[in-house]
Every structure is written in C-alpha cells, then in structure tokens.
C-alpha cells in the first residue's frame, strides 16, 4: 500500500519531457549569452571559483607525487559543473520571471527551497568526481609507470613522447568520456528542475534527465560535445577563459531545461 501511494505521487509530479531539435540548442545558447550580458554572473567565477582552483592546481604541481592527478583534476572539475552552476540557473530563472537579482544569487543554493535534495545530488557528483580521480590514478599506475621525480616539465614530456604516455592519454580519455556521459545523462535537467520545482526530489530529477536524454539522444550528445569543446577552449586560456565560458554554459543550461521539460 505504501509503495502504491509513493508510486502514485511520483507519477503525479513526474515532469513531461519534450522532443527538441538543433534549433532549440542554438536558441538556448543565444538566451544564455543574453543572460550573461545582462548580469555580471562571471564575477563570481573570477572572484572565487578559479582562484581557489588555481591554488589547488599549483599545490598539485609543486607536489611531484601528485603530478599524475593534475590533468584528472582539471578535466574532472567539469563533473561538478551542474552543481556549481546552480546560482546561474537561479539568475536566469529570476530574470525570466522579472524578479530582483542580486550578486548573492550567483552563490550555489542561495535561497533555494529544499536545499537537502540539491546537496544530495551535489554529493552524487562529488562521488563521481572522486571515483574519476581514483580511476585515473589507478590507470596511471597500471599502464604507464612514468617517473614523476624529474619535475613537471619532464613528466609531461614523457607523457607526450612515450608509448606508455600515449596509451595513458588514449585510455584516460575513453575513461573520462564514460564518466562525463553518465553525469550528462543523469543531470542534464536535474538541477534546474529541482530549483524550479521543489516538489521534485533527486530521484525524480535524475529520472527526468534520463528520460530527456532517451527521447533526445542526438541533441543531448550534441549539447555534451558543445560543453566539452567550450570547456577545453576556456582551459587553454590558463583557466581565465572559463570565467566566461562557464557562466554562458550555465545560463544556457537553464534555457535548454526550459525546452526539454514542459512547465508545470
């Protein structure tokens, strides 16, 4: 009886997902860029997120034993992107509804109802991130055995010029793609949905994301490719570019959610 009640309640609030097309992705990107221009949400990333990330990466680079984790840390940071972008979703939501917007809304979960569910889903992403680091380090130990005692430059030279290093790069990218695909499938609309409709819990939000991907496999794969290319481009500019790329992608993700999920 209890199971039937829970199942009926879940069915009652389960959001309906739409079939979208490439034009919808383009429209979401344009709307995200418009939100970015209207509100200086990138200041949060310039002032807090990336200085902290820079300090962590410098510490890793100075600690030779942690050198194998430098690239996994940089690339794996994107796995936490849907959680970090919560403030950006909130800005787009408030602008959409004509509500007051303050710089504090760039802070994740600021003023969000039912924060517990958002934290729980954020914890899931953190678990994925830690699993990726563990898998990447295990892969390094099993496939390369490259010497890290020569310093940062010598290590990366060996990675790029040795057979072991090339194998590490290829297999590592395939492994990272697997983690990224899982995160994309489970969270493409999960965080915006929970922020927009607090009655939807983490399980319902993940289920909705999976249904959205199942109904739009090519379009969501294209979205994932756009995100990956944009993040790589931002990273190549010594991470400063990410302070522009991340907010635009975050705002665009909100508008993609609007096109994927039918409003309540």
């Amino acid at each position: 009886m209890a199971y039937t009640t829970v199942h009926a309640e879940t069915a009652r609030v389960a959001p309906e997902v739409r079939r979208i097309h490439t034009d919808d992705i383009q429209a979401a990107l344009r709307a995200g860029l418009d939100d970015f221009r209207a509100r200086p949400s990138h200041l949060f990333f310039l002032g807090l997120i990336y200085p902290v990330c820079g300090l962590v990466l410098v510490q890793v680079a100075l600690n030779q034993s942690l050198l194998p984790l430098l690239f996994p840390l940089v690339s794996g940071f994107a796995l936490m992107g849907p959680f970090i972008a919560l403030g950006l979703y909130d800005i787009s939501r408030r602008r959409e509804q004509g509500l007051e917007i303050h710089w504090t809304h760039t802070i994740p979960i600021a003023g969000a109802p039912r924060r517990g569910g958002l934290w729980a889903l954020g914890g899931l992403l953190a678990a994925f991130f830690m699993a990726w680091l563990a898998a990447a380090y295990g892969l390094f130990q099993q496939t390369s055995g490259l010497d890290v005692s020569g310093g940062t430059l010598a290590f990366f030279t060996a990675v790029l010029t040795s057979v072991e290093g090339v194998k590490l790069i290829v297999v590592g990218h395939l492994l990272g793609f697997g983690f990224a695909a899982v995160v994309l499938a489970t969270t493409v609309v999960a965080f915006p949905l929970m922020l927009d409709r607090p009655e939807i819990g983490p399980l319902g939000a993940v289920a909705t994301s999976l249904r959205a991907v199942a109904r739009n496999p090519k379009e969501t794969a294209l979205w994932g490719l756009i995100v990956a290319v944009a993040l790589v481009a931002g990273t190549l500019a010594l991470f400063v570019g990410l302070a522009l790329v991340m907010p635009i992608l975050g705002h665009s993700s909100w508008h993609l959610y609007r096109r994927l999920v039918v409003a309540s």
Side-chain angles (χ1 to χ4, degrees):
M1 182 65 181
Y3 171 80
T4 303
T5 302
V6 171
H7 182 75
E9 179 66 15
T10 301
R12 186 180 67 83
V13 300
E16 179 184 354
V17 297
R18 292 191 183 95
R19 179 76 177 87
I20 65 169
H21 304 282
T22 304
D23 291 346
D24 292 294
I25 295 178
Q26 296 174 349
L29 287 169
R30 287 194 297 269
L33 182 60
D34 186 55
D35 285 348
F36 173 78
R37 289 170 174 169
R39 298 292 174 180
S41 54
H42 62 289
L43 296 179
F44 171 71
F45 292 86
L46 281 172
L48 180 60
I49 294 294
Y50 292 103
V52 171
C53 292
L55 290 174
V56 171
L57 294 177
V58 167
Q59 182 62 35
V60 170
L62 292 177
N63 189 334
Q64 293 180 356
S65 64
L66 296 178
L67 273 178
L69 289 178
L70 185 57
F71 176 76
L73 276 171
V74 173
S75 58
F77 180 68
L79 298 178
M80 295 298 300
F83 178 74
I84 295 172
L86 270 171
L88 302 172
Y89 307 151
D90 197 28
I91 288 177
S92 292
R93 179 184 68 87
R94 298 179 72 86
R95 185 167 183 254
E96 181 182 90
Q97 297 177 6
L99 300 175
E100 180 184 0
I101 298 175
H102 191 261
W103 69 268
T104 57
H105 293 120
T106 59
I107 301 173
I109 315 187
R114 294 199 179 185
R115 301 182 185 186
L118 293 170
W119 277 112
L121 204 52
L124 177 63
L125 291 187
F128 279 131
F129 182 41
M130 297 305 296
W132 156 243
L133 292 180
Y137 191 73
L139 178 65
F140 168 78
Q141 290 182 317
Q142 293 178 13
T143 62
S144 69
L146 296 174
D147 185 16
V148 297
S149 61
T152 305
L153 181 59
F155 172 73
F156 282 106
T157 299
V159 169
L160 295 174
T161 59
S162 67
V163 175
E164 294 83 358
V166 172
K167 182 179 179 181
L168 178 65
I169 291 173
V170 173
V171 179
H173 275 77
L174 291 175
L175 183 63
F177 172 80
F179 276 92
V182 171
V183 170
L184 175 66
T186 54
T187 65
V188 64
V189 299
F191 284 99
L193 175 61
M194 292 179 65
L195 188 66
D196 185 40
R197 297 168 65 172
E199 73 276 10
I200 306 294
L203 293 179
V206 169
T208 302
S209 285
L210 292 174
R211 287 192 290 112
V213 171
R215 189 167 186 185
N216 303 277
K218 294 181 180 179
E219 290 74 17
T220 50
L222 175 61
W223 174 251
L225 178 62
I226 291 173
V227 170
V229 171
L231 291 177
V232 169
T235 303
L236 292 177
L238 298 177
F239 298 98
V240 176
L242 290 179
L244 303 178
V245 170
M246 283 287 287
I248 294 174
L249 290 177
H251 291 306
S252 300
S253 295
W254 170 265
H255 294 286
L256 183 66
Y257 151 72
R258 279 298 192 209
R259 291 175 177 273
L260 280 169
V261 178
V262 177
S264 59

